[in-house]
Amino acid sequence: MTTATTTRTADHVATLPRRTLDWRLRFAALSLIWGFSFLLIKVGTEGYAPFQVTLGRLVFGTAVLAAAMIVQRERLPRAARTWGHLTVAAFLLNALPFSLFAYAELTIPSTLAGICNATSPLWGMALSLVALSEDRPTRIRVAGLGLGFLGVLTVLGAWQGFTGVDATGTALALLASLSYPIGWIYVRRTLAGSRDSHLSLTGAQLLLATLQLAVVTPLFTSLPTRFPVVPLLAVAALGALGTGLAMLVQFSLVAEVGPTTAQMVTYFIPVIATAAGVAILGESLTWSTPVGAAIVLAGAALTQVRRA
């Protein structure tokens, strides 16, 4: 659920609001926000089409970042080249994965979607071996990659022939998780040297993603005849909290404790998503789900191990 700015240095984060809470509290809050995002997606799709949920999410998220930019007196990037690269980043890191998760949760539980999201570090490690020449494999990281995907097979019940699991929905959720590292690698190659601040770049990125969905949504959905309140509130919370506020919190964490520690939030998201889905939505839980999720997280952690 992270953005392009995670892969950049923290040189420009001084423009963010002053930190008022201990970083551990903000870390916990970010874990909760992103963990509950999958529940909010599920509730949102009960009243609105997936593209409408994604569009609403982006509108509310962009509004939060726009307010932050006004307070910080930040301006949008000016270079045409930057806008071009941000257009691609907006598609890979926001418009595409947000839409895929929304469509996936039409047929799979939010718990499974949250666990699929945890495979992003696994995809990222596999892709970085090909795309980033400076990111060399080690035995531990390769073992983590294999272990992680073994965990995915455990979650899906491979020994039972994947019975009881919607293949299309699961594939969409895994594709959404794959889209994030592709976007991160793209941004690392194209925008790493930008002089614009994190806030400016991400505000522009969300704005572009919103415009992309504003074009696509009317083509594939019709205007709702009614506006159910609970799903609408879920979409608003998903955008304002799970997208806009979460990005601001993430920036402050990266600035204070570094990207490696901040990225550890990824390992708490599926735990919270599973707990929320079971406790609030009443989704079923078999032994293979928590066991497989633990294996996925262990593998993802090993893929992040670097040489001293």
Side-chain angles (χ1 to χ4, degrees), residues 19-268:
R19 297 183 294 272
T20 57
L21 292 176
D22 181 85
W23 74 268
R24 296 170 186 82
L25 295 177
R26 283 177 281 125
F27 184 96
L30 186 59
S31 301
L32 287 171
I33 290 172
W34 273 339
F36 270 87
S37 292
F38 297 95
L39 179 149
L40 295 174
I41 293 172
K42 190 73 171 180
V43 175
T45 55
E46 292 177 354
Y48 302 96
F51 275 139
Q52 293 170 346
V53 171
T54 303
L55 176 59
R57 174 182 187 174
L58 289 169
V59 168
F60 285 106
T62 302
V64 171
L65 287 187
M69 290 181 65
I70 292 173
V71 171
Q72 295 299 312
R73 297 181 180 178
E74 286 279 350
R75 293 183 178 181
L76 292 171
R78 297 183 178 181
R81 172 183 174 276
T82 299
W83 281 97
H85 290 314
L86 285 175
T87 300
V88 178
F91 176 75
L92 292 174
L93 292 168
N94 301 115
L96 179 61
F98 290 179
S99 299
L100 288 175
F101 272 124
Y103 270 101
E105 291 199 39
L106 290 177
T107 55
I108 66 172
S110 63
T111 54
L112 180 55
I115 293 171
C116 288
N117 180 75
T119 64
S120 281
L122 303 177
W123 296 118
M125 185 265 181
L127 290 171
S128 67
L129 299 181
V130 177
L132 301 175
S133 58
E134 71 273 17
D135 202 356
R136 298 299 181 184
T138 64
R139 291 181 180 179
I140 293 179
R141 299 183 69 198
V142 172
L145 186 63
L147 183 64
F149 286 112
L150 176 62
V152 173
L153 294 177
T154 303
V155 171
L156 300 181
W159 65 91
Q160 298 175 335
F162 304 103
T163 57
V165 176
D166 183 79
T168 301
T170 304
L172 291 176
L174 291 173
L175 284 174
S177 302
L178 173 61
S179 181
Y180 287 126
I182 294 176
W184 297 334
I185 291 173
Y186 178 82
V187 168
R188 183 170 174 178
R189 285 182 171 273
T190 59
L191 291 172
S194 174
R195 295 183 178 181
D196 295 294
S197 71
H198 284 8
L199 185 57
S200 175
L201 288 172
T202 307
Q205 178 181 309
L206 275 190
L207 175 61
L208 289 168
T210 303
L211 294 176
Q212 291 169 1
L213 261 296
V215 172
V216 171
T217 301
L219 299 178
F220 294 93
T221 65
S222 57
L223 188 67
T225 56
R226 61 189 186 89
F227 296 88
V229 176
V230 173
L232 182 60
L233 291 176
V235 172
L238 179 64
L241 300 178
T243 305
L245 179 62
M247 289 180 178
L248 296 178
V249 174
Q250 185 191 32
F251 294 162
S252 68
L253 286 174
V254 172
E256 185 172 353
V257 299
T260 301
T261 301
Q263 191 178 14
M264 293 294 290
V265 71
T266 303
Y267 307 125
F268 292 87

